[in-house]
């Protein structure tokens, strides 16, 4: 475990840290100070333990790629995000919190459908969907909430189609996902929401076995469960992971990205006025870097002593790898606090790094390219319908964003 | 330039295909496949970028 003297520990900075008032897009100032003064340093978290906080880009990449670092919360010293995450039962685990070879075995069962070629084939239907949602928004009341009009439906519809989940059930899975990602949910609430989602997917797998279709869940049940490769409950949990990760993150990128662009009109103009798909793709990478919505840090624990930059991280010590501030490291990105949609941001760590790097990134890219490449061109008068100071930001979320984004046109 | 890929290490992120589609491809499981191990001059920057972003360090380069 992480042993520190009680009074020394009381002086450690607390994590997570607050963002500065009036700077909703910038990581907390304390993170920035630590990156230059003490890039590998201890912090105090909610349960009184003091894991290492890693803030430099090169350190974050090195440690996330190191096989002596584990993503398994069952190891002592793992820095849990909150009591709810600690309480999540072991039988609710998915490969996101497993190590290789178990992680690789399970992840490889679902990597095929996310290959670049498959995503390219999906692009026209994603584009149609985005256009339809924008049509509906423009035909409805003005102002509108961009979260419910576009940001949530687009990725939800896409992941439903890919998995074979009826979109009509979106209330059920969106509501339960919200409970899981809210930092303030009680342990009982998170365990309950996770179970509700898993039961839902479990039932759906039974339907898929009887009436298999051309979708990921049907393939899982016929080619993996029924051949003994995994249990049905394992497949259900995997479905929950894909469904939850597949809509919540992208939705936040759509709203927060739009807000950031509306606040930086010259950047919005660059994106809107250039029809080159390469420019849109570059802007997506830059917004991923600049906003890094996975602002709770990657959580890991050291399995074997590691020496990095003159510091020894001992077995059993927890790690918080702050990919948000790493993406603002001037050593990796010149003038990092500037949103510049023309820069080459492709080396960002917004999707993480190492074997757990986002499985859904090719899908997220296609979705974000379709939205950013379409919305501002089709609605050139798009504007915020309220004062930015009145927006409610997801400071309490595992994933950052805004709860509502009132827009007008 | 000579390229090698380590398929057991690959986590199917697809990043190499985005960086250098004429050099890297993916099999049915999304795992990397080489289209050529000696990329022409026009593709070398893309290949270097692919090796730099690969999350699993599964791409090895030898400049010659
Ligand atoms: C812009 C949107 C997205 C962002 C910013 C994002 C971010 C991330 C990050 C940072 C990780 C690494 C977790 C860690 O290292 O602890 C991750 C993993 C993952 N993401 Fe995403 N993600 C996005 C969209 C998606 C989508 C659309 C899916 C669709 C299925 C998805 C599925 C997953 C899965 C399954 C993992 C676990 C991979 C593993 O452990 O091997 N994500 N994501
Ligand atoms: S970038 Fe690396 S991990 Fe991703 S598909 Fe290519 S070789 Fe595999």
């Amino acid at each position: 475990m992480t042993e520190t003297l009680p009074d020394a520990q009381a002086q450690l900075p607390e994590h997570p840290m607050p963002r500065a008032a009036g700077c909703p897009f910038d990581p907390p100032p304390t993170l920035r100070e630590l990156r230059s003064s003490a890039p590998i340093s201890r912090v105090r978290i909610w349960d009184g333990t003091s894991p290492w906080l890693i803030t430099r880009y090169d350190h974050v990449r090195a440690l996330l790629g190191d096989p002596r670092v584990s993503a398994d919360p069952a190891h002592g010293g793992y820095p849990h995000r909150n009591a709810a995450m600690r309480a999540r039962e072991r039988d609710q685990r998915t490969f996101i919190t497993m190590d290789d070879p178990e992680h690789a075995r399970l992840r490889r069962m679902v990597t095929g459908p996310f290959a670049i070629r498959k995503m390219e084939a999906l692009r026209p239907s994603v584009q149609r969907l985005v256009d339809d949602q924008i049509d509906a928004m423009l035909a409805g009341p003005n102002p509108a909430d961009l979260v419910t009009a576009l940001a949530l439906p687009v990725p939800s519809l896409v992941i439903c189609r890919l998995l074979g989940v009826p979109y009509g059930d979106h209330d059920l899975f969106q509501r339960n996902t919200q409970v899981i990602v809210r930092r303030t949910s009680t342990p009982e609430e998170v365990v309950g929401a996770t179970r509700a989602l898993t039961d839902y997917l479990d039932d759906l797998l039974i339907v898929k076995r009887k009436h298999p279709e051309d979708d990921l869940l049907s393939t899982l049940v016929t080619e993996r469960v029924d051949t003994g490769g995994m249990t049905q409950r394992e497949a259900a949990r995997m479905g929950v992971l894909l469904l939850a990760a597949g809509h919540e993150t992208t939705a936040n990128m759509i709203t927060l990205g739009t807000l950031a662009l509306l606040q930086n009109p010259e950047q919005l103009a660059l994106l809107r006025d250039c029809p080159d798909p390469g420019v849109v793709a570059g802007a997506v990478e830059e917004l991923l870097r600049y906003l890094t919505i996975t602002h709770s840090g990657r959580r890991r624990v050291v399995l074997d002593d590691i020496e990095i930059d003159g510091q020894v991280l001992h077995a059993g010590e927890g790690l918080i790898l702050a990919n948000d501030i790493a993406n603002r490291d001037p050593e990796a990105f010149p003038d990092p606090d500037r949103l510049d949609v023309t820069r080459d941001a492709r080396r960002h760590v917004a999707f993480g790094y190492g074997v757990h790097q986002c499985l859904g990134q090719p899908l997220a890219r296609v979705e974000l390219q379709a939205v950013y490449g379409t919305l501002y061109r089709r609605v050139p008068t798009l504007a915020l319908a309220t004062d930015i100071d009145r927006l409610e930001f997801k400071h309490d979320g595992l994933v950052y964003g805004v709860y509502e984004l009132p827009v007008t046109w | 330039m000579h390229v090698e890929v380590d398929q057991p290490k690959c986590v199917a992120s697809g990043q190499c295909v985005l960086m250098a589609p004429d050099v890297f491809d993916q099999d049915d499981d999304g795992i990397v496949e080489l289209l050529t191990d000696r990329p022409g001059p026009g593709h070398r920057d893309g290949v270097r970028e692919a090796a730099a972003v690969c999350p699993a360090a599964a791409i090895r380069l030898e400049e010659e």
Side-chain angles (χ1 to χ4, degrees):
Chain A
M1 263 315 290
T2 323
E3 299 285 351
T4 324
L5 291 174
D7 24 328
Q9 193 173 353
Q11 286 164 21
L12 292 176
E14 262 186 65
H15 186 278
M17 293 129 183
R19 291 174 193 256
C23 304
F25 305 123
D26 289 338
T30 318
L31 276 184
R32 179 184 319 265
E33 282 153 30
L34 285 174
R35 194 193 50 219
S36 45
S37 64
I40 303 174
S41 60
R42 288 188 187 274
V43 288
R44 195 155 52 90
I45 62 173
W46 66 278
D47 61 358
T49 60
S50 43
W52 295 104
L53 178 75
I54 312 295
T55 44
R56 263 175 53 175
Y57 174 86
D58 55 345
H59 292 165
V60 165
R61 285 210 346 166
L63 289 167
L64 282 176
D66 194 315
R68 294 167 294 181
V69 167
S70 166
D72 184 349
H75 291 295
Y78 179 95
H80 298 276
R81 287 193 166 86
N82 50 34
M85 287 290 167
R86 191 174 58 185
R88 264 179 116 167
E89 296 157 48
R90 271 191 79 70
D91 73 352
Q92 295 187 335
R93 297 173 74 214
T94 55
F95 60 84
I96 196 166
T97 52
M98 294 178 188
D99 295 330
D100 286 347
E102 213 186 350
H103 160 267
R105 181 181 72 86
L106 291 167
R107 176 170 166 135
R108 280 200 179 197
M109 290 185 181
V110 285
T111 41
F114 293 93
I116 301 299
R117 208 176 318 114
K118 301 266 172 56
M119 291 300 115
E120 286 307 319
L122 215 64
R123 199 185 280 278
S125 67
V126 173
Q127 182 62 48
R128 251 195 321 277
L129 229 149
V130 169
D131 278 315
D132 291 349
Q133 288 299 135
I134 295 176
D135 286 342
M137 181 178 95
L138 294 177
N142 181 356
D145 172 20
L146 196 76
V147 176
T148 45
L150 186 74
L152 212 42
V154 167
S156 300
L157 279 158
V158 174
I159 195 70
C160 278
R161 244 181 241 176
L162 210 129
L163 293 179
V165 170
Y167 181 67
D169 295 335
H170 65 94
D171 257 0
L172 182 142
F173 66 76
Q174 287 171 347
R175 191 164 23 86
N176 282 300
T177 304
Q178 288 304 319
V179 173
I180 296 172
V181 298
R182 206 184 307 125
R183 267 192 208 151
T184 50
S185 295
T186 65
E188 295 73 34
E189 284 169 339
V190 170
V191 169
T194 310
R195 181 162 310 121
L197 282 172
T198 316
D199 289 345
Y200 170 69
L201 264 296
D202 218 333
D203 290 345
L204 203 52
L205 286 169
I206 296 171
V207 178
K208 296 285 171 191
R209 174 175 293 119
K210 283 202 196 114
H211 310 284
E213 287 172 87
D214 183 18
D215 56 46
L216 197 152
L217 291 179
S218 297
T219 314
L220 264 191
V221 79
T222 55
E223 291 180 15
R224 304 292 183 178
V225 178
D226 292 350
T227 58
M230 72 197 309
T231 67
Q232 180 162 318
R233 199 66 184 169
E234 275 182 310
R237 284 200 301 274
M238 206 183 262
V240 173
L241 173 65
L242 296 173
L243 185 58
H247 76 274
E248 171 66 17
T249 40
T250 311
N252 283 304
M253 270 307 296
I254 292 174
T255 35
L256 205 60
T258 299
L259 180 62
L261 289 167
L262 290 173
Q263 296 299 113
N264 291 271
E266 75 300 338
Q267 296 295 314
L268 178 58
L270 283 172
L271 177 59
R272 186 183 49 214
D273 303 339
C274 185
D276 177 358
V279 170
V280 176
V284 168
E285 300 309 313
E286 170 64 350
L287 283 159
L288 283 163
R289 178 197 76 84
Y290 181 73
L291 298 169
T292 314
I293 56 171
T294 52
H295 66 159
S296 312
R298 316 289 89 239
R299 304 292 168 121
R300 299 291 192 270
V301 55
V302 179
L303 294 183
D304 265 314
D305 291 6
I306 297 173
E307 197 187 328
I308 178 162
D309 218 4
Q311 179 72 54
V312 178
L313 312 176
H314 293 100
E317 291 176 341
L319 301 179
I320 299 175
L321 303 121
N323 51 324
D324 53 350
I325 199 68
N327 272 337
R328 299 291 190 99
D329 188 336
E331 299 289 328
F333 305 98
D335 198 4
D337 297 318
R338 213 176 96 75
L339 174 67
D340 174 4
V341 297
T342 62
R343 82 161 82 219
D344 183 354
R346 293 179 298 177
R347 294 190 186 193
H348 67 71
V349 284
F351 288 125
Y353 190 74
V355 296
H356 291 280
Q357 193 183 61
C358 185
L359 168 77
Q361 56 183 305
L363 178 59
R365 286 190 166 103
V366 167
E367 293 173 331
L368 293 175
Q369 288 165 10
V371 171
Y372 297 156
T374 309
L375 179 63
Y376 322 119
R377 264 176 225 156
R378 286 204 48 200
V379 195
T381 56
L382 191 77
L384 196 56
T386 181
D387 198 59
I388 186 166
D389 300 327
R390 302 185 60 171
L391 293 174
E392 211 190 319
F393 288 88
K394 295 184 178 176
H395 293 293
D396 62 346
L398 287 181
V399 180
Y400 191 55
V402 283
Y403 284 101
E404 278 177 30
L405 189 68
V407 291
T408 184
W409 54 91
Chain B
M1 177 189 274
H2 183 240
V3 196
E4 268 176 43
V5 291
D6 188 341
Q7 288 173 326
K9 278 172 104 181
C10 172
V11 296
S13 72
Q15 299 240 61
C16 54
V17 182
L18 294 177
M19 302 294 167
D22 296 316
V23 180
F24 303 99
D25 198 357
Q26 287 168 289
D27 69 12
D28 285 345
D29 292 328
I31 302 304
V32 65
E33 272 180 340
L34 269 183
L35 297 174
T36 165
D37 63 353
R38 298 207 172 264
H43 301 309
R44 288 180 193 160
D45 281 348
V47 172
R48 286 187 198 104
E49 200 52 33
V53 296
C54 174
I59 301 172
R60 266 191 316 274
L61 289 189
E62 254 173 67
E63 307 270 356
E64 40 199 41

